[in-house]
Amino acid sequence: MTAVLPSDSLAGQAGELAHVASRRDGRRSGTPRVAKHLRDNRTAYLMIAPMVILLSIFVIWPLIYSLYLSGFKISFYKDPEFVGFQFYQYVLESPKFWQSLGVGLAFAAMVVPAGMLIALLIASFIKTLSKRLASFMKTTVYVPAVVSTVVASVLFVFMYQDQGVVNWFLSLINAGPVAWLNNPGTALPAIAVPAIWLGLGITTLIMLAGLLDIPDSYYESAELDGAGFVKRTWYITIPLLKNILLYLFVTGFTAALQMLDLPLVMTNGGPVNATTTPNLFIFNSFRDGTPYSTSFSLTAALLLFVVLGAISVLVFRLINSDKAVDG
Amino acid sequence: MHKRRSKVLLTLAAVVTASLALAGCTAGGGGTTADGKTEVTFWQQKFEDYQGVWFKKYVDQFNASQDKIKVNYQVVPADTWTQKLQAAQAAGKQPDIATTNYGNIAAGVVDGKFAALDDYMPADVFADIKDNVSSFVTIGGKHYAYPMLVEPSTVLYYNTDMVKAAGLDPNTPPTTWDQLIDWSKKLTTGDVKGMTIASTAPDLGWSSWGLQYNACGHLPISDDWSKANATDPCYEKLLNLYKTLYQGNLIPQQPKVGYADGSPYGSGEVAMMAGGSWVIGQLKTDFPDMLAKTMVTAFPSWDGDATRTTATLGGWTLTLDSKSKHPQQAADFIKYLLAGDPAIMADFFKAAGYSKYTVRKSVDEALASDPNASADPFMKIISDKVVAYGKQEPGYPWDIALAMGTAIESAMKGTDSIQGSLKTADAAINDVIQKQSLAGTAPKK
């Protein structure tokens, strides 16, 4: 950071001096003045400076340093040993790493589409309500968003117990009890439910904002043509919400793929690694306590960064984002 | 304009320098107090509540007994212990003294984490350690930890009221795995399960060591740590035991607590329990009514041979960090607490309800005069039937134990067949051996 700023300021100073000199020559005036566009530039640089500095300290530098460190076998008690790309090979060869990515993708596939669909239905419903009722509903829907993930995890662990409310419902139809969190087949969907619930508030509000932006005249004319709710949603709402849906899909997908707290608290990655999401895999690798584990978890984290970036690019490619459609 | 920019730059430089300087000030540890005492940090992993009370009492007593050393005592929850310690090590702020279990000593010594205590403590304090325990903390002839206690990882507890109600005789408990399954079936009624045992990979990883020895006479790795040994067919019967108990609904399908916690047995949710000897302490403090209707015996052997190992002998020690800035002062505290006046450790075993075993001859002598210590019926049985055949915890990296734990869990929950699970574990262990260069690194005494 300190290496960037002086050279930046030197370049700026040199440019400014040259400019001032040329103006002095041209106008032969006594007081140097700075061109407006340069002043604008300076204001712009000053305004983005805090962000750039913070990003450099907390993101860019750690990233570069992590890349450097990933080439070493790190021990906190011995000198680091240079091993080149060995840990990249180890991570890529690890069946658990790929399994965790699979778990992360399956988790995202359960949480994101279901969450968006439910949010769209709720948002469409809220739109039809009176103002007072709508504001009550908006608050109600938003409540889970302010609940801590850890609190929600504990709450759902209780609900999934043998004597919990979920198995109580099953007992009404003479089924169960199901070991929701201790069965490899049901554990991941059981964790997806609180994830959907927690994300519902924000998704619904963003969708509602998008819905309210669609002119009522579209719906009115469609209604005159005899279009029902499904047709109106399919031909008007969804196409006009495309940018919002894309945004929600990409952010939801990356967030779901990076889920850590729910499986950590609810199942600790079990049973038989069925809920070990990529971040939990990295965290557990770090907690392993061997010198091997430090570099391994670091490298796995860097590779996850690449995978997440690639998935986001892919999503953007598949769903071409249009510029805002004029309403 | 230039002046203004220089001012901005100067301010920025000052802020950066100041924050770096501040960060520098806080890095590292091992300072001195205002009144000139050397500060030593001590992290204790959170165990039973009475242990915290005991540690606090004697840390305060040590601090008051002299005016040169001040021990800063901190309790760290067990589930955050490793990451907190690792993060502290990365920042160079690790404690001078920490609780370490026997299984982690060998690997820690290879990594250079611990200082040899022989350099800071007189030889006679090591001579006081019982011979079999001394080998747990000795590597290459040096002592890298001072032991505190020994406790077997697996014994069988059973509720005599429930056993009688099921028409079974509490005086002839199961001795084979088949009998154990038979008892579990007969004792499973309504909401009460026949027994409880570990059922998640992290718990199975360590709590099944004794039964791995029981089934095969060895652990799933060769003695010199050069090759995995998990596909040995003898392990199939072990996985089958766990599978039958789980899939037969004979143990809780969704346990609320981990293996180390004896509350499902204490609260009557299960009729039998595989648990460590420490559960006796828990029953005495939290479920005193259960004591009268509880009997304890060695966990059954697969073929009924009572001389086979059924438990590993685990336990805790205090270790001195190799990077400690005040190793002598830290060692002085370890000596005071664990190796000094036998009455201090005797007080610990008394607080534990005699649910753990001593590691020093002098502490045994101090307890000899206490009738409660020798009169405990549970500890006599555990001592004769379990500890006598117990083995030391393995010192290999946790990944190997976890691979075997995952294999057992996978067979229990039907993710894979028994053979398939063992094959996966074998491959995982060989992978650890190769990537962590373990071949030939098995600790030599």
Side-chain angles (χ1 to χ4, degrees), chain B residues 57-72:
Chain B
K57 176 181 167 188
Y58 286 101
V59 167
D60 290 346
Q61 210 162 301
F62 175 76
N63 286 339
S65 71
Q66 39 73 46
D67 54 7
K68 292 198 171 62
I69 308 164
K70 180 173 184 290
V71 174
N72 292 319

Side-chain angles (χ1 to χ4, degrees), chain B residues 303-371:
Chain B
D303 61 350
D305 181 349
T307 63
R308 287 186 198 278
T309 301
T310 52
T312 43
L313 303 179
W316 293 89
T317 70
L318 292 187
T319 47
L320 170 59
D321 194 272
S322 63
K323 283 188 174 174
S324 168
K325 292 192 176 99
H326 304 290
Q328 186 58 58
Q329 286 84 347
D332 286 350
F333 171 67
I334 298 178
K335 179 167 166 278
Y336 171 87
L337 188 71
L338 301 186
D341 182 359
I344 295 179
M345 280 314 294
D347 191 29
F348 173 83
F349 290 103
K350 191 179 169 197
Y354 307 103
S355 63
K356 298 166 197 294
Y357 290 91
T358 63
V359 293
R360 284 166 55 201
K361 297 162 201 161
S362 57
V363 177
D364 274 350
E365 284 160 21
L367 287 171
S369 54
D370 182 348

Side-chain angles (χ1 to χ4, degrees), chain A residues 238-322:
Chain A
I238 292 180
L240 290 177
L241 277 183
K242 193 174 170 187
N243 283 325
I244 284 176
L245 294 178
L246 181 71
Y247 164 77
L248 289 174
F249 188 78
V250 173
T251 51
F253 205 84
T254 27
L257 207 54
Q258 294 194 73
M259 175 50 75
L260 170 77
D261 3 19
L262 283 174
L264 177 70
V265 178
M266 294 177 76
T267 56
N268 198 18
V272 204
N273 299 323
T275 55
T276 305
T277 53
N279 270 350
L280 185 56
F281 169 72
I282 292 166
F283 184 57
N284 281 341
S285 301
F286 176 72
R287 288 200 290 181
D288 209 22
T290 60
Y292 168 84
S293 65
T294 313
S295 307
F296 186 87
S297 50
L298 174 67
T299 314
L302 289 172
L303 284 171
L304 178 68
F305 176 74
V306 174
V307 170
L308 280 177
I311 290 176
S312 303
V313 168
L314 199 72
V315 171
F316 276 110
R317 276 277 163 95
L318 288 177
I319 313 166
N320 280 323
S321 171
D322 291 335

Side-chain angles (χ1 to χ4, degrees), chain B residues 51-274:
Chain B
Q51 291 209 35
V53 174
W54 178 84
F55 273 113
K56 174 96 178 51
K57 176 181 167 188
Y58 286 101
V59 167
D60 290 346
Q61 210 162 301
F62 175 76
N63 286 339
S65 71
Q66 39 73 46
D67 54 7
K68 292 198 171 62
I69 308 164
K70 180 173 184 290
V71 174
N72 292 319
Y73 166 63
Q74 195 182 341
V75 181
V76 179
D79 54 347
T80 57
W81 173 266
T82 325
Q83 71 247 35
K84 192 171 160 71
L85 189 64
Q86 290 241 113
Q89 287 166 345
K93 289 182 180 179
Q94 68 273 32
D96 301 277
I97 306 160
T99 45
T100 303
N101 61 26
Y102 293 117
N104 283 334
I105 293 171
V109 171
V110 172
D111 298 340
K113 284 182 185 165
F114 308 130
L117 294 176
D118 309 69
D119 301 342
Y120 307 102
M121 287 158 81
D124 61 316
V125 300
F126 300 108
D128 193 21
I129 304 173
K130 292 179 186 174
D131 293 340
N132 60 335
V133 182
S134 187
S135 67
F136 294 5
V137 294
T138 310
I139 288 166
K142 292 206 163 193
H143 299 86
Y144 286 91
Y146 202 91
M148 192 175 164
L149 56 100
V150 164
E151 46 194 355
S153 58
T154 313
V155 295
L156 185 70
Y157 297 83
Y158 54 98
N159 182 319
T160 50
D161 283 2
M162 291 183 186
V163 167
K164 283 180 204 157
L168 297 161
D169 178 9
N171 293 314
T172 53
T175 54
T176 67
W177 289 357
D178 286 342
Q179 288 172 9
L180 181 74
I181 289 168
D182 186 45
W183 270 51
S184 303
K185 281 179 185 161
K186 287 179 178 153
L187 288 166
T188 301
T189 47
D191 285 343
V192 177
K193 297 288 180 190
M195 77 170 294
T196 181
I197 195 166
S199 65
T200 62
D203 271 351
L204 286 161
W206 61 272
S207 67
S208 70
W209 280 327
L211 300 181
Q212 291 174 34
Y213 271 120
N214 190 278
C216 290
H218 59 78
L219 293 168
I221 187 168
S222 60
D223 288 344
D224 61 351
W225 293 2
S226 64
K227 197 173 164 302
N229 205 358
T231 45
D232 193 330
C234 54
Y235 284 118
E236 290 174 16
K237 52 183 178 278
L238 173 69
L239 270 61
N240 197 40
L241 168 71
Y242 280 99
K243 185 180 173 178
T244 311
L245 288 172
Y246 185 80
Q247 296 195 355
N249 268 322
L250 307 175
I251 58 174
Q253 303 292 292
Q254 286 201 100
K256 295 186 191 77
V257 291
Y259 175 82
D261 190 335
S263 50
Y265 176 81
S267 53
E269 290 168 31
V270 295
M272 297 191 287
M273 176 180 63

Side-chain angles (χ1 to χ4, degrees), chain A residues 20 31-32 41 64 68 94 100 109 123 206 216 227 229 253 274 283 302:
Chain A
V20 168
T31 46
N41 277 356
I64 295 169
Y68 166 75
S94 163
S100 75
I206 292 176
D216 280 340
F229 174 76
F253 205 84
F283 184 57
L302 289 172

